[in-house]
């Protein structure tokens, strides 16, 4: 490797004198050595682009040789060469970590700012111990939109075949066990990536979901909750009480019935959907709490969600709704969000009788609105009434 032939500390020091000083607002992109913000050389209290310094120093030491090609600087080759000469290397993400609320147009710009790989949905920036997760509403995973109040779902990485507890998924699981905060980046449809919140990883479970080839496979689903900072002593007790930081044994749920199965195997009516849960929420086992003897804490029943959507028949179930969105989902269905009136993660039942289908505006009002406490009481009664009406209608 050419950079292994950079052996002169004197050449590096001379190169430093020819290079620009780097500061937190500096963003220089060189066509050969790449973006400035990955690793920096620290020398006499100042910072310099490590790859640029290595490139210049190589030319000083070997003036009779042609310039180095761009692929000579792949990975951390320049960093290793400078460290061999006893220079101090600093990581951009350690010096100038991303501020909460910062936005970037895309993952490529984030990589240019902090280095690393722009492809994985779960990653650490070079030289940084903090895990970042990236959720894209236009992406291939069924992540839930981040919620500032309630726990929400983030799907693991791996787009073909059963997901494995390796790489990014393993990093997230280690953050759960060690109670370390994770940066949560989110891009709404057509928007930009924004560092929206710190999250704590509450639990891990497995769900069935189609991969890129439309074949069913097991995905990891991580329950996460927004926290105010990376310091655990600032996390509210309603979050810390929900963290399962022990070993979790994967227990895959039953494989769903194939779409082309015999029609009698597929539930069609509200009554058929609800039958496995029992007629009332009391007959249904409540959402599992933070019991160390009970793993995979908060799996949500797809069947219960589908039952509520069948009952709603493409209409917001809030009788005070001021208007559904004019747009629809790509399949032509109404844009509805199924809400557990009593939070599942706070031991609420996973039963259609205490779940309600809401349009995005009504769901936001119930979650974050000034009158959310009154809405919660109203929706609890409303869901029970709609459930009883649907049961009676199907029972004749």
């Amino acid at each position: 490797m050419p950079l292994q032939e950079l052996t002169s500390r004197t050449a590096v020091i001379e190169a430093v004198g020819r290079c620009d000083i780097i500061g937190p607002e500096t963003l220089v992109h060189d066509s050969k050595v790449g973006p400035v913000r990955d690793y920096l050389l620290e020398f006499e209290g100042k910072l310099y682009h490590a790859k640029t310094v290595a490139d210049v120093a190589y030319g000083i030491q070997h003036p009779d040789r042609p310039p180095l090609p761009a692929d000579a600087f792949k990975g951390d080759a320049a960093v290793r060469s400078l460290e061999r000469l006893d220079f101090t290397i600093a990581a951009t993400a350690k010096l100038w970590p991303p501020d909460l609320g910062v936005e970037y147009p895309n993952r490529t710009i984030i990589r240019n700012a902090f280095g690393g790989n722009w492809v994985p949905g779960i990653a650490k920036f070079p030289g940084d111990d903090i895990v970042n997760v990236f959720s894209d509403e236009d992406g291939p995973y069924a992540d839930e939109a981040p919620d500032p109040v309630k726990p929400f779902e983030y799907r693991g990485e791996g787009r073909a075949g059963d997901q494995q507890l390796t790489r990014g998924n393993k990093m997230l699981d280690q953050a759960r066990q060690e109670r370390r905060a994770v940066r949560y980046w989110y891009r709404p449809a057509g928007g930009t990536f924004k560092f929206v919140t710190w999250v704590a990883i509450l639990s891990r479970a497995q769900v069935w979901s189609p991969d890129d080839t439309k074949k069913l496979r097991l995905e990891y689903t991580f329950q996460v909750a927004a926290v105010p900072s990376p310091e655990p002593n600032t996390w509210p007790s309603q979050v810390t009480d929900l963290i399962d930081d022990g070993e979790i044994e994967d227990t895959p749920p039953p494989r769903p019935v194939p779409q082309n199965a015999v029609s009698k195997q597929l539930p069609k009516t509200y009554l058929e959907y609800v039958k496995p849960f029992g007629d009332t929420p009391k007959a249904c086992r409540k959402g599992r709490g933070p019991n160390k003897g009970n793993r995979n804490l908060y799996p949500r029943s797809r069947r219960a969600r589908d039952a509520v959507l069948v009952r709603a028949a493409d209409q917001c179930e809030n009788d005070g709704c001021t208007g559904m969105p004019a747009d629809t989902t790509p399949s032509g269905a109404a844009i509805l969000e199924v809400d557990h009136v009593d939070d599942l993660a706070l031991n609420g039942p996973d039963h259609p009788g205490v779940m309600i289908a809401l349009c995005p505006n009504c769901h936001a009002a119930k979650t974050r609105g000034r009158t959310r406490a009154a809405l919660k009481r109203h929706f609890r009664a409303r869901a029970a009434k709609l459930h009883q009406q649907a049961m009676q209608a199907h029972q004749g």
Side-chain angles (χ1 to χ4, degrees):
M1 295 294 291
L3 276 178
Q4 289 181 342
E5 297 176 12
L6 175 57
T7 57
S8 171
R9 182 177 173 86
T10 301
V12 174
I13 293 174
E14 184 178 341
V16 165
R18 301 184 188 182
C19 295
D20 294 328
I21 298 171
I22 302 301
E25 302 306 319
T26 305
L27 181 60
V28 178
H29 188 95
D30 185 288
S31 60
K32 180 191 295 185
V33 299
V36 165
R37 289 188 151 188
D38 45 13
Y39 286 106
L40 303 175
L41 169 67
E42 186 175 354
F43 185 70
E44 294 184 346
K46 297 179 176 129
L47 298 166
Y48 304 86
H49 187 196
K51 292 180 181 178
T52 301
V53 170
D55 186 31
V56 174
Y58 182 87
I60 292 172
Q61 184 178 349
H62 304 289
D64 55 331
R65 298 183 185 180
L68 288 173
D71 61 7
F73 298 90
K74 284 184 177 179
D76 59 354
V79 170
R80 293 197 306 270
S81 295
L82 294 171
E83 286 181 330
R84 281 197 301 269
L85 297 173
D86 294 326
F87 286 96
T88 300
I89 300 297
T92 302
K94 281 283 192 182
L95 292 167
W96 308 306
D99 294 323
L100 188 63
V102 68
E103 295 185 55
Y104 293 91
N106 51 54
R107 290 287 303 277
T108 300
I109 303 301
I110 295 174
R111 179 194 62 183
N112 287 357
F114 301 102
N117 194 330
W118 62 274
V119 176
I122 307 169
K124 292 180 180 179
F125 297 134
D128 190 20
D129 296 329
I130 295 174
V131 178
N132 299 269
V133 297
F134 297 88
S135 178
D136 186 345
E137 191 173 335
D138 290 328
Y141 298 107
D143 304 329
E144 293 183 340
D147 192 305
V149 179
K150 299 190 301 183
F152 56 97
E153 216 176 81
Y154 179 81
R155 294 296 176 93
E157 67 178 16
R159 294 175 58 177
D162 291 346
Q163 291 183 351
Q164 305 298 315
L165 197 60
T166 58
R167 299 186 180 183
N169 296 331
K170 185 175 182 179
M171 286 194 291
L172 269 193
D173 202 53
Q174 288 175 335
R176 171 187 65 82
Q177 291 180 296
E178 297 170 8
R179 296 189 173 224
R180 287 188 285 108
V182 169
R183 294 189 190 100
Y184 200 93
W185 299 78
Y186 177 67
R187 178 165 70 175
T192 60
F193 271 108
K194 181 178 181 179
F195 174 19
V196 293
T197 185
W198 292 96
V199 296
I201 311 300
L202 306 181
S203 67
R204 183 193 85 231
Q206 288 181 302
V207 295
W208 290 100
S209 184
D211 65 9
D212 283 1
T213 66
K214 308 302 181 185
K215 293 181 179 178
L216 277 180
R217 53 75 178 271
L218 286 168
E219 280 186 358
Y220 281 111
T221 174
F222 294 90
Q223 287 290 316
V224 305
V227 291
S229 83
E231 301 300 327
N233 60 4
T234 68
W235 300 358
S237 60
Q238 58 263 38
V239 171
T240 57
D241 289 347
L242 295 176
I243 297 175
D244 178 6
D245 55 11
E247 291 292 333
I248 293 179
E249 182 178 351
D250 288 331
T251 53
R255 189 182 182 91
V257 177
Q259 291 295 315
N260 59 356
V262 180
S263 61
K264 67 179 182 180
Q265 294 179 290
L266 295 174
K268 298 292 186 182
T269 67
Y270 185 71
L271 181 60
E272 288 173 316
Y273 273 110
V274 171
K275 188 175 180 180
F277 301 102
D279 291 348
T280 66
K282 290 183 179 179
C284 176
R285 180 173 55 83
K286 290 186 176 182
R288 288 177 274 179
N291 180 348
K292 300 300 181 183
N294 194 3
R295 305 305 182 188
N296 297 346
L297 299 186
Y298 313 114
R300 303 179 183 196
S301 170
R302 172 68 66 173
R303 190 185 187 104
R305 175 184 177 277
D306 289 346
V308 177
L309 291 175
V310 167
R311 184 184 71 200
D314 275 349
Q315 294 296 317
C316 178
E317 292 189 314
N318 177 14
D319 51 353
C321 179
T322 56
M324 295 272 291
D327 203 357
T328 66
T329 67
S331 65
I335 299 176
L336 292 172
E337 299 168 357
V338 176
D339 181 77
H340 288 80
V341 179
D342 296 306
D343 296 348
L344 180 62
L346 300 179
N347 213 30
D350 196 16
H351 188 284
V354 284
M355 297 163 66
I356 190 166
L358 301 172
C359 71
N361 284 342
C362 291
H363 192 202
K366 187 261 184 184
T367 303
R368 302 186 292 277
R370 179 175 52 83
T371 61
R372 60 185 180 274
L375 278 175
K376 184 173 183 177
R377 291 192 295 271
H378 176 69
F379 288 160
R380 188 182 293 116
R382 175 74 175 159
K385 179 180 179 181
L386 291 170
H387 170 67
Q388 289 302 320
Q389 287 176 344
M391 293 292 290
Q392 290 169 5
H394 287 293
Q395 289 171 343

